Amino acid sequence: MTARRPSLTPLSTRLRDRSPGLSASLLNGVVAAGLGLGALTVLVLALWISSPYPDSGPGGALHIAAALWLLAHGVELVRTDTLSGAPLPVGVTPLLLLALPAWLLYRAGRYATDASGEPDGPPPVPVRTAWLGVVLGYLTVGTAVALYCSGAELRPSWGWLTVSLPLVAAAGAGAGVWSAHGCPPEPLLIVLKAVPGPVRRLVFGADARARVDTAVRAAGASTAVLVGGGALLVAVSTVWHGEVARASFLQLTEGWTGRFAVLLLGMALVPNASVWAASYALGPGFVLGAGHPVHPLASDPAPLLPPFPLLAAVPDAGPGTRLNWAAALVPVVAGVVAGWFVARAAVRRRGHREPPRVRWSAVRTTGVTLLTAVACTLLLALLATLSGGPLGVGALSRFGPLWWQTGPAAGAWTALLGLPTALVVRAWRLRGTGALRTAAESEKPRGGQKPKDPGKPKDSAKADAKAKRAEDKAKREDSLPDEDAYDILPAEPPAELRIELPAEAPTTETGKAREASKDRETSKGTETTDPAEPTDPAATKETPETPGTPETP
């Protein structure tokens, strides 16, 4: 009757320990989706409130905000309020809007995985639990938003919804969880197992992690140069066509609220225009309508395009000139940057007077450069896919670069320019190896030593024997007893430093002999005293010797 039952069974205890991690992950996913949706809703409602001629009520503004949130995930929308009555697709995703949900998902994955800093706190949330919870919570909100928009004028395409939204949620949350656990290489190594064995041994070798890391860094730097160079081309072309851009900006709308909305839309599409310009510099270019390519050799934009400031930066129709061909400097710089990153990782410079550390041979450096070209191909193909899309049917069915042309072009530029750059920079970083070795040899002492024959190998047996003897000597000196360490001192200290110790009972034979010798000297001194000299009885009286008092020598 007095025995107490445990409050929780082992199964319920495990469920209690697991449920906070799963519930917190679900909550993080819901909060991430709510923050992104709320930010767009506030922006759209602010523009609707400030608009002098709103076309719809607050319900229409909320539907537009929800549709923009879905479009930010790459979900293609369908317009139903057209003049012809036929639905028209809208699939150009502003990349600046895509950055918002991607960043929120990344932060949600990190927060869901963070462990408590207290020693008695809960254990870290498992990887699968945190990732799955964030994805499920995010998709729950996304499904509700899609159902809310299904009856509006801008409704989502269910085929794109089932692909784009889960893919963005899984990738963003996975990146956050992976980063929270310290970016372990196991997921990448699992992917590398799908590569055939001979190719894996040739390209990756034993240090697969270092080579993949170098290739990803070099590809990221090359892609950043390409996109940044594309943004520079857009800015230069916009300034060159400044009058046309200004006229199109003023032609779209009259009120300041509408112009502000156009400005925000243009800013959200600047990353898209940068990717388009990067594809233009690479050679394939982009299309402004089906069958209307724009590249450095020729420009053929579709007629009757809507006026828009970014479209004013498109090169004039007709064959390309030398100014158009000068855009090729952007991929040249990107290829050189990729090769420099690979060469810097292949040869490490430790110091000014120290020889460099060679990490990879020329063959391995070539393999890493080719791996960088493959990574550049994948990155540019992905960006080209995300930055383009349809804006209607017929001639408006395709806008932006073609991924199957832009990606291989970026890989070809990287391989053709990055490979010689990597090999030349690697040789340049190794240029001082012989000079440093000669300087080190010249600093050695030459007193009576014969120069060694450079053709003979260095005799290392003598050096090893000498080092061994020095080590044995040090060990012997350390193993000496304490009394042997004072053999260099004199056997008897000087008289002025001699101190008589207190008298003690003799305990050894040496002590007894010393006491006997002392008694003989005392008695001899007593016998040699002059009897004619008067003596004081008190002075001649024998006084007992105080123990512990030192005797005067």
Side-chain angles (χ1 to χ4, degrees):
M1 296 293 293
T2 59
R4 298 181 61 185
R5 295 181 57 191
S7 58
L8 294 173
T9 62
L11 179 59
S12 60
T13 303
R14 288 195 297 269
L15 291 177
R16 182 197 62 182
D17 294 338
R18 289 178 58 90
S19 59
L22 183 60
S23 60
S25 302
L26 288 169
L27 181 61
N28 284 328
V30 172
V31 169
L35 288 176
L37 182 60
L40 292 178
T41 302
V42 169
L43 180 61
V44 172
L45 287 178
L47 292 176
W48 176 79
I49 292 172
S50 59
S51 176
Y53 306 107
D55 295 335
S56 59
L62 292 177
H63 280 99
I64 292 176
L68 285 179
W69 185 79
L70 293 175
L71 181 64
H73 296 79
V75 178
E76 187 176 289
L77 303 178
V78 179
R79 282 189 59 190
T80 57
D81 58 336
T82 59
L83 296 177
S84 61
L88 297 180
V90 179
V92 178
T93 301
L95 293 182
L96 195 60
L97 290 183
L98 177 60
L100 177 63
W103 180 75
L104 290 174
L105 281 165
Y106 174 80
R107 299 302 299 174
R110 285 189 62 88
Y111 288 147
T113 315
D114 284 343
S116 176
E118 301 178 359
D120 298 335
V125 181
V127 175
R128 295 181 179 178
T129 302
W131 176 78
L132 188 61
V134 172
V135 172
L136 289 179
Y138 201 88
L139 291 181
T140 301
V141 178
T143 304
V145 172
L147 293 175
Y148 175 74
C149 292
S150 59
E153 297 176 354
L154 275 177
R155 58 188 63 180
S157 174
W158 293 101
W160 282 94
L161 180 69
T162 56
V163 175
S164 298
L165 187 62
L167 189 60
V168 172
V177 173
W178 184 58
S179 175
H181 281 271
C183 300
E186 284 77 12
L188 297 178
L189 297 180
I190 292 175
V191 175
L192 293 181
K193 291 182 180 179
V195 181
V199 178
R200 184 169 63 247
R201 287 189 296 269
L202 176 63
V203 178
F204 302 106
D207 52 347
R209 180 179 181 180
R211 299 183 187 185
V212 171
D213 181 69
T214 301
V216 171
R217 290 177 182 272
S222 179
T223 304
V225 171
L226 284 173
V227 177
L232 181 61
L233 292 178
V234 171
V236 171
S237 183
T238 304
V239 173
W240 186 270
H241 301 87
E243 291 297 330
V244 180
R246 179 175 176 275
S248 63
F249 182 76
L250 298 177
Q251 184 180 355
L252 282 175
T253 182
E254 296 181 357
W256 66 270
T257 305
R259 292 175 182 175
F260 183 68
V262 172
L263 179 62
L264 291 179
L265 180 59
M267 292 174 58
L269 290 172
V270 165
N272 299 61
S274 302
V275 176
W276 292 18
S279 180
Y280 179 86
L282 288 170
F286 52 91
V287 291
L288 282 179
H292 295 275
V294 178
H295 49 79
L297 298 180
S299 178
D300 183 25
L304 301 178
L305 288 176
F308 195 74
L310 288 179
L311 292 179
V314 176
D316 298 331
T321 61
R322 293 181 180 179
L323 291 177
N324 301 106
W325 303 340
L329 291 176
V330 174
V332 170
V333 176
V336 171
V337 168
W340 184 83
F341 265 81
V342 175
R344 187 172 177 270
V347 179
R348 297 278 187 176
R349 304 283 303 193
R350 296 182 178 178
H352 180 67
R353 300 291 297 173
E354 297 181 1
R357 181 171 62 90
V358 181
R359 192 176 187 181
W360 300 321
S361 63
V363 177
R364 295 295 186 187
T365 304
T366 302
V368 176
T369 308
L370 295 178
L371 183 62
T372 303
V374 174
C376 282
T377 302
L378 297 177
L379 286 176
L380 263 296
L382 178 62
L383 290 176
T385 303
L386 295 176
S387 63
L391 287 177
V393 295
L396 302 179
S397 61
R398 184 61 197 173
F399 277 85
L402 303 176
W403 66 268
W404 51 272
Q405 294 180 358
T406 304
W413 278 96
T414 304
L416 291 177
L417 294 171
L419 183 57
T421 302
L423 296 178
V424 170
V425 174
R426 179 183 178 276
W428 177 72
R429 292 174 70 86
L430 291 173
R431 75 194 186 285
T433 307
L436 290 173
R437 188 182 296 112
T438 304
E441 292 177 357
S442 63
E443 292 176 0
K444 294 181 180 179
R446 302 180 181 178
Q449 295 183 2
K450 296 182 180 180
K452 296 183 179 181
D453 187 4
K456 295 182 180 181
K458 187 181 294 185
D459 189 6
S460 60
K462 294 182 180 180
D464 296 340
K466 186 177 180 180
K468 187 176 182 180
R469 287 196 299 270
E471 186 179 357
D472 295 339
K473 183 179 179 180
K475 289 182 179 180
R476 287 196 302 271
E477 290 177 357
D478 294 340
S479 61
L480 288 176
D482 295 338
E483 57 269 23
D484 294 342
Y486 298 93
D487 288 345
I488 61 174
L489 298 179
E492 189 90 13
E496 59 270 12
L497 298 179
R498 192 178 307 166
I499 300 175
E500 293 293 337
L501 298 176
E504 296 179 0
T507 56
T508 59
E509 295 181 0
T510 304
K512 293 179 180 179
R514 190 176 299 171
E515 291 293 334
S517 175
K518 185 176 179 182
D519 295 339
R520 285 196 300 270
E521 291 179 1
T522 305
S523 62
K524 184 177 179 180
T526 305
E527 292 176 357
T528 57
T529 305
D530 189 2
E533 187 176 357
T535 59
D536 191 357
T540 57
K541 186 177 180 181
E542 216 171 344
T543 58
E545 190 174 354
T546 304
T549 304
E551 200 177 299
T552 303

